[in-house]
Each structure stands twice: as C-alpha cells, then as structure tokens.
Amino acid sequence: MNPNTPLPPLSPRPLRHLSEVHRRVMTAAQLRAHGVSAADANDQCRPGGSWQQILPGVFLLHPGPPTSEERLHAVLMYAARESSPGVPTQPGADDPHRPVYAEVMITGMAALTLHGFVSAPPLLSLEKIDVLVPRLRRLRSTGPARIVRTAALPTPQPVTGVPVAPVPRALADAVSDLADAGAVRRLLTEAVRGGHCEPASVVRELNNAKLLSRPHVVDAVDSLLAEGRAIAEDRLYRMVREFGLPDPVWNVDLRLPGGPHLGGLDAYWPEQAVAVELDTRAPRQDEDALWSEYARKREHLERLGITVVHITPKKLRDSMAQQATVVRTALMAAADRDPAAYVVVLPR
C-alpha cells in the first residue's frame, strides 16, 4: 500500500464484544465509539424505550432498575475524567473490556460495604453512592452520585474490579454524614476488630476531615483506641509465647528508688533491662506533644541503661516474627552492655 494513501475509516466495534456489565452501562462517548449517535441514544430513552439515562452522559442499556454493580459503574463513569472513558474506541481483539477509571474511586458507606463491613448497609439500599474526586474537578452531585472532593487522592484498592478508597478514608467520609453515635462506634470497632486497619490511621483521617470536634465521634474514637490497645496487647502476649521469648513482667511502672516516676511499660525484662512499649499514639492535634513525651521517657530510660523497644500495633499485626527478632536481639545484647541502674518495678 502506498504510504500516502489515506487509511479507510475505522469501523465501530459492536457492543457484543463488551463484557456483560459494561454492555449494560455506557457513556455517550463509548456509545459513539460503537456507532450510536446522541440522537439514537435519546430515542432509545424515550418513555417506553429500551434504555434509560441514569446520570448525565451515562446510559443504562435496559429498561429495568439498575443492579448494585451497574449503579457503581454508572457513578464511576459519570465522575471519571473523559480522557479515560473506560472502553477504548478501537480495542484490539484481545484487549480487556473492563474500564480503567482515572482519578476517581468509591468512598463512604458504599466503599465500606465493598470492603466487607457487616455493619454497612447493602449497596442497593443506599440512596447515594459517594465518589471521591480531585478537589478542582468541576462536577456536581446528581442522581445516585454524591461527589466528595479531596486535595490529595489516596491510592485506590480494587474490589471486584471497582476502585475503592482505603478503609480509613472511606470511614471518615461515611462518618461525616452520621449523627448516630452507635452507628459510628459500630463502624470504627469493626474496622479494628475485623483487621481492616489500625486505630491510628482511622484517627488521622478523622482529624484531617475535622470530625474530632463532634462529641459523638470523639466518644467513638475513645472506644476505638481502647479496643485497639487491647488487641495490640493480646498480639504482644502471643508474640512472646509463640516465638519462645522469656517471660517478662507485664504492664509495669518504673521508679528510681526514692525518686521520680520513670513511666509505664507494656513489658519489661528486669535481668536484661529491656523494655517494650506499644506505640498506640493517636495522631490528633497534640501529636507533637505526645511524641515529645514518648521521646523524653525513652531518653531518660536509656540514660539509665534500659533498652526501650517501640512497637506499633501495625508492625505487630503485619510482621510479628520480625518484631520478635528485634526483642530477642535486644535481650541477647544485654550481656555486652554495662549493668543498668537499679530501678523499682511496680504493677501498673
């Protein structure tokens, strides 16, 4: 073929090449790519027609009510940037048909349902589906889509092929609409008990969303932190038992003889002068003050010859064996250190 000869126009790709759900929900741009004009689409959506417009520029290609999956994809299609319409105009024979939604993700209660929260309602019972977009996007909430804006998008987590906000961010967006203290407490408790995330990450998002000024949220957070500490303590007990570490004394206060209080510790090995402290700080506005308090206690103890190992709940959950190795190494290194100062060990 002469290289200067113009190529024949590309033929539209028939709708049957799409996977089932993406044959049922399409944008106007996607329909054009398949040879369906705007006028034809509007004709199909007339009363008694076989299609319906579920959101501006988004069509449901059957007359019945949308399924929960169709609603999710319709909301994402509405909110996604047009530069990523989901279905390529001319995909190859082996190209996947699942859309890639750029700079958009499901958040709020719908996201928690997708993450498997039993305390979140079924998708079909939600009147609105929250969708997270960059702050400067020019979009309005309409139909089933409620636009939630953010200055910095988190990295989405794919759930059943749908981009979903991480649990801490989804929790903050869900809690922002809840006035029921019991509902807030149930969601936050499930997040921790279910192993979805650590309390600190939840509190960070609630703080960023300026929700910690609401009394019912603060009460739920206090319960959450107590729950998180209890779970972390249980993991610490398991670590000592399962990895064969010597038994420490648990939950103690240290004092200098006749002197000041040195601070509380979660576990202490008196013979080796090694301590473990669970770092369960909540990242609120007073985070710097809390960290300064931790640092002062640690520096004071280490000046007395006591080795302090800080362990976060997340590390205990995700890398317990590694944390056990850190503690074991500190215990073994005690023989090579100068003896620590004598301290009084009291139950906490």
Side-chain angles (χ1 to χ4, degrees), residues 96-114:
H97 301 303
R98 184 168 293 280
V100 177
Y101 299 110
E103 297 188 349
V104 65
M105 66 193 73
I106 302 297
T107 190
M109 202 65 78
L112 297 179
T113 301
L114 289 168

Side-chain angles (χ1 to χ4, degrees), residues 60-310:
L60 186 62
L61 308 190
H62 64 74
T67 66
S68 57
E69 186 181 17
E70 288 168 348
R71 292 180 81 222
L72 288 171
H73 284 282
V75 167
L76 289 166
M77 288 178 183
Y78 168 69
R81 288 193 179 276
E82 291 186 4
S83 58
S84 297
V87 180
T89 302
Q90 288 291 328
D94 298 326
D95 283 351
H97 301 303
R98 184 168 293 280
V100 177
Y101 299 110
E103 297 188 349
V104 65
M105 66 193 73
I106 302 297
T107 190
M109 202 65 78
L112 297 179
T113 301
L114 289 168
H115 280 299
F117 275 59
V118 297
S119 53
L123 288 173
L124 280 177
S125 70
L126 294 174
E127 181 182 351
K128 301 286 185 180
I129 294 175
D130 292 338
V131 57
L132 194 61
V133 304
R135 182 170 55 86
L136 298 180
R137 288 294 310 281
R138 297 182 64 181
L139 280 171
R140 62 184 177 87
S141 298
T142 183
R146 179 163 51 198
I147 302 300
V148 180
R149 304 180 190 281
T150 182
L153 281 173
T155 300
Q157 298 175 352
V159 181
T160 65
V162 173
V164 179
V167 167
R169 175 65 207 232
L171 272 172
D173 290 331
V175 166
S176 68
D177 288 326
L178 293 176
D180 181 352
V184 172
R185 186 177 293 109
R186 283 191 295 273
L187 288 173
L188 299 191
T189 300
E190 184 174 353
V192 174
R193 285 185 184 173
H196 294 283
C197 56
E198 296 299 330
S201 61
V202 176
V203 178
R204 184 180 300 110
E205 288 291 350
L206 293 174
N207 184 44
N208 291 342
K210 298 179 172 54
L211 296 173
L212 294 183
S213 60
R214 302 182 184 183
H216 70 287
V217 175
V218 173
D219 289 346
V221 165
D222 289 341
S223 298
L224 173 77
L225 295 177
E227 178 88 16
R229 168 161 277 282
I231 292 172
E233 289 175 347
D234 182 64
R235 289 179 182 148
L236 184 60
Y237 298 148
R238 281 178 45 214
M239 183 190 78
V240 169
R241 183 177 67 250
E242 293 178 9
F243 291 90
L245 295 173
D247 287 331
V249 288
W250 298 102
N251 295 315
V252 295
D253 275 323
L254 300 187
R255 291 181 181 274
L256 287 173
H261 174 249
L262 298 173
L265 297 168
D266 294 285
Y268 184 57
W269 287 263
E271 291 185 12
Q272 295 87 356
V274 171
V276 165
E277 185 164 31
L278 289 171
D279 185 354
T280 56
R281 287 175 299 132
R284 306 195 202 190
Q285 291 90 339
D286 57 353
E287 180 179 19
D288 290 343
L290 283 170
W291 176 244
S292 297
E293 181 183 336
Y294 269 69
R296 280 196 301 271
K297 178 166 68 174
R298 181 172 185 167
E299 289 170 5
H300 194 175
L301 291 174
E302 291 188 343
R303 282 199 301 271
L304 296 172
I306 297 170
T307 299
V308 182
V309 179
H310 272 262

